């Protein structure tokens, strides 16, 4: 099921989270997975290699399928329910794509986005000044529906008052990471632009 020490220097390989194993599915070693990749068809095709976080354990996909919008995979060597239940909660990682290929495909990894300045897009629909600094990307949050950019606001915004009279100050905001709201990413210049609807970002 998992091979140990398959590579001389696994720590030098860049690994990206692909999925988290969930419940056993049936009696023959299949498991459901929570997917964190945009390429499940490729990551879960038979023969694909996945790894533990440190790269020291290798898992090989034997087969995969979808059922009611869920991915179900079978790993080599995981042949019964006891083996599949033992994997519950295990996170699997895959090797990173070639950076030049990703750039051509207009794709980015979370680590590339963290630290970028968020600015208002020149053609934003709410009429905010073009290039207005909004904050800095501090995290990329994966959710079942979509990824979210967590942005630390340049200017914290007071949005209300708590029941004890204490001001409520928003210091961060979450922006869905979709093309419509994040139209431009410039890694070389260190910024991305936002085109949010009214009310999404406090103070705008």
């Amino acid at each position: 099921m998992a091979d140990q020490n398959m590579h001389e220097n696994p720590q030098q390989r860049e690994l990206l989270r692909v999925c988290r194993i969930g419940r056993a599915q049936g009696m023959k070693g299949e498991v459901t997975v929570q997917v964190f990749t945009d390429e499940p068809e490729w990551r879960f095709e038979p023969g694909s290699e996945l790894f533990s976080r440190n790269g020291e354990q290798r898992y090989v996909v034997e087969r995969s399928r979808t059922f009611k919008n869920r991915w179900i995979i079978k790993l080599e060597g995981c042949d019964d329910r006891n083996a599949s239940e033992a994997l519950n909660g295990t996170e699997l990682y895959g090797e990173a794509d070639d950076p030049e290929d990703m750039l051509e495909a207009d794709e980015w990894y979370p680590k590339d986005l963290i630290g970028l300045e968020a600015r208002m897009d020149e053609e934003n629909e709410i009429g905010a000044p073009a290039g207005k600094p909004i904050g800095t990307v501090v995290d990329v949050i994966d959710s079942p529906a979509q990824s979210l950019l967590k942005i630390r606001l340049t200017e914290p915004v007071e949005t209300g008052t708590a029941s004890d009279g204490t001001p409520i100050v928003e210091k961060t905001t979450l922006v869905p990471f979709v093309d419509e709201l994040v139209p431009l990413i410039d890694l070389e210049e260190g910024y991305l632009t936002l085109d949010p609807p009214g009310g999404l970002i406090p103070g705008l």
Side-chain angles (χ1 to χ4, degrees), residues 56-148:
E56 294 182 352
Q57 291 181 306
R58 184 187 68 153
Y59 300 82
V60 179
V61 178
E62 183 174 316
R63 63 176 181 268
S64 63
R65 59 189 176 93
T66 58
F67 179 71
K68 293 183 178 180
N69 297 319
R70 292 187 304 168
W71 276 93
I72 298 170
I73 67 173
K74 165 74 169 61
L75 299 173
E76 290 184 1
C78 182
D79 298 321
D80 56 42
R81 191 173 183 86
N82 288 337
S84 57
E85 287 180 344
L87 290 173
N88 195 335
T90 300
E91 291 192 339
L92 301 180
Y93 293 75
E95 292 186 284
D97 294 334
D98 182 88
E100 292 186 2
D101 291 342
M102 290 186 65
L103 189 60
E104 291 181 3
D106 206 28
E107 297 176 345
W108 294 268
Y109 288 123
K111 69 177 183 62
D112 297 324
L113 304 175
I114 294 173
L116 295 183
E117 181 186 51
R119 308 174 183 173
M120 290 302 297
D121 192 69
E122 291 184 358
E123 300 179 359
N124 71 85
E125 295 186 0
I126 61 175
K132 174 181 172 63
I134 301 300
T136 303
V137 179
V138 294
D139 197 6
V140 180
I141 301 171
D142 288 315
S143 70
Q146 61 191 175
S147 294
L148 300 169

Side-chain angles (χ1 to χ4, degrees), residues 134 153 155-159 169-174 199-204:
I134 301 300
L153 299 175
E155 300 177 2
V157 178
E158 186 173 329
T159 58
V169 179
E170 299 291 343
K171 297 181 179 180
T172 63
T173 190
L174 296 176
L200 178 63
I201 296 177
L204 293 179

Side-chain angles (χ1 to χ4, degrees), residues 128-204:
K132 174 181 172 63
I134 301 300
T136 303
V137 179
V138 294
D139 197 6
V140 180
I141 301 171
D142 288 315
S143 70
Q146 61 191 175
S147 294
L148 300 169
L149 299 181
K150 184 176 182 180
I151 298 174
R152 181 185 295 121
L153 299 175
T154 300
E155 300 177 2
V157 178
E158 186 173 329
T159 58
T161 305
S163 58
D164 62 358
T166 303
I168 299 174
V169 179
E170 299 291 343
K171 297 181 179 180
T172 63
T173 190
L174 296 176
V175 175
F177 185 38
V178 295
D179 291 341
E180 293 80 3
L181 304 185
V182 189
L184 174 65
I185 297 174
D186 191 327
L187 298 183
E188 291 188 359
E189 295 296 327
Y191 74 93
L192 55 79
T193 65
L194 304 177
D195 185 9
L200 178 63
I201 296 177
L204 293 179

